[in-house]
Amino acid sequence: MKKSHLLTLFLLLCTIYTQAQNKKPKHIILIGVDGLGAYSIPGSKLRAINKQLSSDTSTNFVDEKYHTKAKVPTLEKLMKDGAYSLTTRSVLPSSSAVNWASMTMGAGPEIHGYTEWGSKKPELPSRTLDRYGMFPSIFSLLKDQKPDAEIGVVYEWDGIGYLFPKKAVSLDANCEGDSATALTASNYIINKKPNLLFIHLHDVDHIGHSIGHGTPEYYKSVSQTDAYIGQIVQAVQKAGIADETLIIVSADHGGINKGHGGKTMQEMNIPWIAYGKSIKKKGEITESMMTYDTAATIAWLLNLKTPQAWIGRPVKQIFE
Ligand SMILES: [Zn+2]
């Protein structure tokens, strides 16, 4: 081949590569709603799924009379204009820290080692460590591979503060109450336009424990949380980055009666909603998904190399 032909080919490949990169989001906002069972979202087929999978369904459901589901105009918009799964599964146990770790660390408890509701450090040795001495997370991957990235974690539950390396993030904000959490996150988005922001909201889980899952109060709390998510979506628009941002909404677990941690689908089925830049295939994701696929998907979108120990798989099929 002539030198000039080689040069043309090289330039063509460069253009294709650049175009592929441009299709990916520059900003990813991951909103984690503690205790948001997929069953509470309109469109959930939990009952049918439970019937299909379990011979004894008697204890697996909330009372039918409460099964009205929440009013969630923001989430419904994100689902309609984005892609979603209401059958994504938590890892077991269906408890908090173990699942927040799995969501952000791309692996399950057997590998990252955080196994309990309130794990502050791994109860099992993490299979591998990042340079901060923790199991590699989406935060450490991004910081290591793109040191200039703006990374934030804004959270209501202080337990989140033990699950990411503080030195890898630019903002570490533990807020009192969801209202302050949503406000802090919104201001941060407007002022700093983060490349990666993880927001943890807590009210839904609190009501689930104090009053009960699937109760009118629980659905009311889900609706209030929907309004906070709306506030965050507006902040993305106000920041002028809506065209370059992907928003993911998910949860650590659902719940049943006044708790979670067990193995009913009501506790294990969590929502996974992606909205914004790069979504190609809108609507319901029917493939199997696990919570640790969230970290893998974010890493893939941000062009990050992932550790061999990760088992999460990016949900490539919904993106351009
Ligand atoms: Zn939780």
Side-chain angles (χ1 to χ4, degrees):
M1 201 184 282
K2 277 185 190 170
K3 260 187 188 169
S4 61
H5 288 173
L6 269 177
L7 184 67
T8 311
L9 183 66
F10 176 73
L11 290 173
L12 184 70
L13 287 173
C14 283
T15 311
I16 292 168
Y17 179 77
T18 309
Q19 279 172 351
Q21 298 309 301
N22 289 344
K23 284 182 180 169
K24 291 188 170 177
K26 282 190 193 136
H27 312 274
I28 296 182
I29 315 281
L30 172 61
I31 305 172
V33 182
D34 210 309
L36 180 65
Y39 74 84
S40 67
I41 310 227
S44 165
K45 296 172 189 143
L46 178 70
R47 296 187 65 84
I49 286 157
N50 262 334
K51 274 184 184 145
Q52 181 194 329
L53 293 180
S54 168
S55 52
D56 175 20
T57 57
S58 55
T59 58
N60 279 5
F61 308 125
V62 280
D63 196 321
E64 180 75 33
K65 71 175 183 281
Y66 288 138
H67 209 76
T68 52
K69 304 185 196 277
K71 288 192 176 61
V72 286
T74 307
L75 290 184
E76 282 185 310
K77 182 188 160 35
L78 302 192
M79 287 162 70
K80 186 174 140 290
D81 294 337
Y84 68 93
S85 155
L86 296 177
T87 52
T88 298
R89 293 189 180 192
S90 76
V91 296
L92 287 171
S94 55
S95 303
S96 299
V98 49
N99 270 288
W100 292 123
S102 302
M103 183 190 290
T104 56
M105 293 178 178
E110 305 87 348
I111 302 171
H112 57 58
Y114 298 81
T115 65
E116 297 175 4
W117 165 77
S119 298
K120 293 183 174 173
K121 51 184 173 46
E123 292 81 23
L124 299 171
S126 295
R127 183 62 183 81
T128 185
L129 296 174
D130 61 19
R131 68 187 171 100
Y132 307 99
M134 294 180 75
F135 189 83
S137 62
I138 190 64
F139 309 106
S140 60
L141 258 59
L142 180 55
K143 184 67 183 171
D144 280 5
Q145 296 175 43
K146 299 183 182 180
D148 295 334
E150 178 73 33
I151 307 170
V153 184
V154 181
Y155 51 106
E156 210 286 335
W157 182 47
D158 60 358
I160 298 290
Y162 300 95
L163 304 175
F164 66 92
K166 306 255 171 170
K167 284 185 179 161
V169 306
S170 326
L171 175 70
D172 163 23
N174 184 193
C175 304
E176 184 82 32
D178 280 359
S179 172
T181 306
L183 184 65
T184 303
S186 298
N187 287 337
Y188 179 60
I189 290 167
I190 292 164
N191 294 326
K192 294 286 183 180
K193 304 177 181 36
N195 301 102
L196 176 64
L197 171 60
F198 173 46
I199 305 164
H200 165 272
L201 299 170
H202 201 186
D203 284 353
V204 170
D205 183 67
H206 173 69
I207 298 295
H209 284 292
S210 59
I211 298 172
H213 271 265
T215 60
E217 290 85 352
Y218 177 84
Y219 290 124
K220 206 175 148 196
S221 166
V222 172
S223 296
Q224 175 59 56
T225 298
D226 184 80
Y228 291 134
I229 295 170
Q231 186 185 344
I232 293 160
V233 173
Q234 273 184 9
V236 170
Q237 284 158 359
K238 215 169 162 184
I241 56 171
D243 290 347
E244 296 293 337
T245 300
L246 183 82
I247 297 170
I248 299 174
V249 181
S250 194
D252 53 345
H253 52 73
I256 191 162
N257 301 322
K258 286 187 176 178
H260 56 82
K263 43 193 175 185
T264 62
M265 295 319 297
Q266 191 172 314
E267 293 158 280
M268 289 178 64
N269 266 149
I270 52 171
W272 196 93
I273 302 166
Y275 166 85
K277 173 80 174 175
S278 307
I279 302 275
K280 173 189 68 178
K281 190 170 173 284
K282 293 181 179 180
E284 189 172 10
I285 303 165
T286 52
E287 291 94 341
S288 168
M289 279 185 68
M290 288 294 297
T291 191
Y292 40 67
D293 296 335
T294 303
T297 302
I298 295 173
W300 178 74
L301 288 168
L302 295 175
N303 300 311
L304 302 174
K305 284 196 195 79
T306 54
Q308 185 271 336
W310 277 28
I311 59 170
R313 298 172 298 174
V315 194
K316 288 183 190 175
Q317 68 271 28
I318 64 167
F319 294 106
E320 287 182 8

